[in-house]
Amino acid sequence: MAGPQHDDSSLVGPTSPGAEGSGRVGGETYSGRGGGRRTSALGGRMRSLCSPARSCCHRFCGVDYNPDYEMLEYDYGYDETARGAEKQPLPRIRERGEYYVDSYNGEPWGCGFGTNEEAGIWMNSGDQAGTIMAALVWLLMLYSAATVTLLTITEGIDPILGMIYCTLCAMSLACHAKTSLTDPGSVPRAAVPQESQRRDSSSHSMCGQCQTFKPPMSHHCRICNRCVSRMDHHCPWMNNCVGAGNLKHFLLFLVYTWTCAAYSLALFGWNYFFCADEDCTFHVIVVHLVRVMTVLCIGAFLFTSSMLMNVTYGLMTGIGTIDRLKKKATNTMSQSDEEPIPLKDVFGVAGYHTWPFPVDPVFEDYDRVMGYSTPQRLVREQQIMERKRPNSAPEIMPAPTVELPNCVNDFLPV
């Protein structure tokens, strides 16, 4: 229901009176490239509406929302003129503090590839070195899978062991593809501060490159040419940035790659040190492939171990790689006041059964995770709260802006 491709749903968060005539505080629609989430105040009532068996299953799987109950159930593409005088019923009114699943999708539906807002499929094609490194990951993983397959064919290892390794390789490559082709959390041009940010601060950061609002903990990537929410770093092996939108897939890739390396090293080590039977002898041709694979697995094991420790440290401290390097350069690490990042802001609230798979997370509060909101969704929510007919393209009067001279842009933070 919520995913970085072009899903029709999104979770947005609790309705309550807000600035700019909006009707909400936090939470955001999921419009094609992100996640969202649901209720806070009505959690107990909603669970009571479910059957006991379903409620038990939800508790066991860690599912913290009910899409059947929270779906907005409003078709923005409904054509009343083509269906006579019948009008589409308005969505039910949400109570204050309740999240809901927004059915509006404002993302482009074209098949264009790129990192701009008009591109339908996120893909960084401007970095040739990153493209080569990302392709090299696939080549090495396929090489290792082919080597283990040959070991299985030549009866060097048990077929079950080979099947397990190939499954881990497939999951690793799926997570790699998902990380590379998922919007890491790019900030749209229409982004505005959340109501809590406007209430707590009188000034907000602005990106000198994008000329848009710059959410906290976001950075401008000169390779992707976009500001990325909660950006950790730009990974050339992924050929993409790692941010709030694809951190789950990146973490899963590291876990599966680390598991593949550790599994193969344990397999080869057992065969070399503890197995003295003739059945454990590898084919003479496969032996050379195994030697090369052993070297690759040692390098992959060390690299993924360091990256896993880096990501874990970032989750525990709430400080990304870029921010940590900046704080160390200015000797301000001791002054950090960031909060740890909860796992629900990485894996979502769709249930524990979705954690091991590269499926898009359903965030508890999309606005809070990404650090911004959009006026278009806020206006749609206001129309719903006022029992007006929601408009898929609400008219928003733009505020007068002043173009900054280039000499000023050079001094703005990036």
Side-chain angles (χ1 to χ4, degrees):
M1 116 188 304
Q5 305 310 317
H6 300 291
D7 199 300
D8 289 335
S9 64
S10 62
L11 288 168
V12 294
T15 55
S16 63
E20 298 183 356
S22 70
R24 60 163 330 262
V25 173
E28 149 71 346
T29 112
Y30 166 71
S31 55
R33 291 175 178 168
R37 129 100 201 198
R38 58 124 193 141
T39 174
S40 59
L42 300 184
R45 182 187 305 177
M46 289 169 49
R47 291 187 179 90
S48 64
L49 294 176
C50 302
S51 63
R54 184 174 182 180
S55 299
C56 181
C57 182
H58 279 196
R59 287 194 300 269
F60 178 78
C61 297
V63 180
D64 200 19
Y65 79 104
N66 184 356
D68 296 334
Y69 182 82
E70 299 167 26
M71 180 66 67
L72 192 61
E73 295 179 350
Y74 188 83
D75 184 8
Y76 286 94
Y78 187 87
D79 188 2
E80 296 180 355
T81 60
R83 308 192 185 193
E86 181 181 357
K87 290 187 177 181
Q88 182 181 185
L90 287 171
R92 67 175 180 84
I93 293 296
R94 265 63 181 175
E95 296 187 19
R96 181 175 301 179
E98 181 182 0
Y99 290 87
Y100 63 95
V101 182
D102 193 351
S103 58
Y104 179 73
N105 183 6
E107 292 297 321
W109 288 83
C111 289
F113 295 86
T115 59
N116 53 52
E117 292 192 43
E118 290 74 24
I121 300 177
W122 180 275
M123 175 181 287
N124 181 21
S125 57
D127 183 17
Q128 289 76 16
T131 303
I132 295 174
M133 295 178 69
L136 186 61
V137 172
W138 278 72
L139 180 63
L140 296 178
M141 293 296 293
L142 292 176
Y143 169 82
S144 65
T147 301
V148 174
T149 302
L150 287 176
L151 285 174
T152 302
I153 295 175
T154 58
E155 299 182 352
I157 60 175
D158 191 89
I160 297 298
L161 301 178
M163 183 179 65
I164 293 175
Y165 182 83
C166 291
T167 301
L168 292 174
C169 280
M171 293 298 296
S172 177
L173 291 177
C175 294
H176 184 277
K178 192 66 174 175
T179 306
S180 301
L181 301 178
T182 296
D183 188 335
S186 59
V187 182
R189 290 188 294 266
V192 295
Q194 304 175 68
E195 181 181 349
S196 59
Q197 296 171 344
R198 296 193 297 267
R199 182 178 61 250
D200 299 337
S201 177
S202 58
S203 61
H204 306 282
S205 300
M206 177 178 176
C207 177
Q209 302 293 328
C210 300
Q211 294 293 315
T212 57
F213 166 65
K214 187 177 180 181
M217 300 176 63
S218 65
H219 299 278
H220 182 88
C221 177
R222 300 184 184 275
I223 299 178
C224 297
N225 198 28
R226 295 291 298 275
C227 278
V228 178
S229 295
R230 214 172 68 197
M231 177 179 174
D232 188 81
H233 67 286
H234 182 92
C235 182
W237 298 104
M238 302 290 111
N239 193 29
N240 196 6
C241 288
V242 177
N246 62 353
L247 180 58
K248 172 192 173 182
H249 313 311
F250 179 71
L251 183 56
L252 288 179
F253 168 78
L254 294 177
V255 171
Y256 283 121
T257 305
W258 184 91
T259 306
C260 285
Y263 182 83
S264 59
L265 290 176
L267 195 64
F268 298 157
W270 172 268
N271 182 276
Y272 185 82
F273 293 106
F274 300 102
C275 187
D277 299 338
E278 293 183 359
D279 296 338
C280 298
T281 304
F282 293 159
H283 191 276
V284 61
I285 298 179
V286 182
V287 168
H288 299 289
L289 299 177
V290 170
R291 290 173 179 172
V292 176
M293 180 177 171
T294 302
V295 176
L296 295 176
C297 288
I298 293 175
F301 180 82
L302 296 176
F303 180 75
T304 52
S305 297
S306 64
M307 289 302 301
L308 281 172
M309 289 187 292
N310 182 72
V311 174
T312 303
Y313 181 83
L315 294 177
M316 295 176 62
T317 61
I319 306 174
T321 302
I322 296 178
D323 292 325
R324 185 164 65 252
L325 293 176
K326 289 183 176 181
K327 290 179 180 294
K328 287 184 178 180
T330 57
N331 197 23
T332 57
M333 281 293 293
S334 59
Q335 304 175 8
S336 302
D337 56 354
E338 287 82 359
E339 296 291 336
I341 299 176
L343 291 180
K344 65 182 179 181
D345 289 352
V346 178
F347 294 96
V349 293
Y352 302 133
H353 60 285
T354 64
W355 287 25
F357 303 101
V359 295
D360 302 311
V362 179
F363 293 130
E364 180 183 47
D365 190 333
Y366 189 82
D367 273 0
R368 179 179 55 79
V369 174
M370 294 297 171
Y372 66 84
S373 184
T374 55
Q376 289 82 1
R377 195 203 56 74
L378 295 178
V379 171
R380 290 199 307 272
E381 184 176 273
Q382 179 189 14
Q383 294 171 341
I384 294 175
M385 297 299 293
E386 296 177 354
R387 301 297 295 174
K388 297 180 180 179
R389 187 69 55 181
N391 187 2
S392 60
E395 296 182 0
I396 300 177
M397 297 300 296
T401 59
V402 179
E403 184 70 22
L404 298 177
N406 293 330
C407 58
V408 176
N409 292 337
D410 296 337
F411 295 97
L412 290 176
V414 177

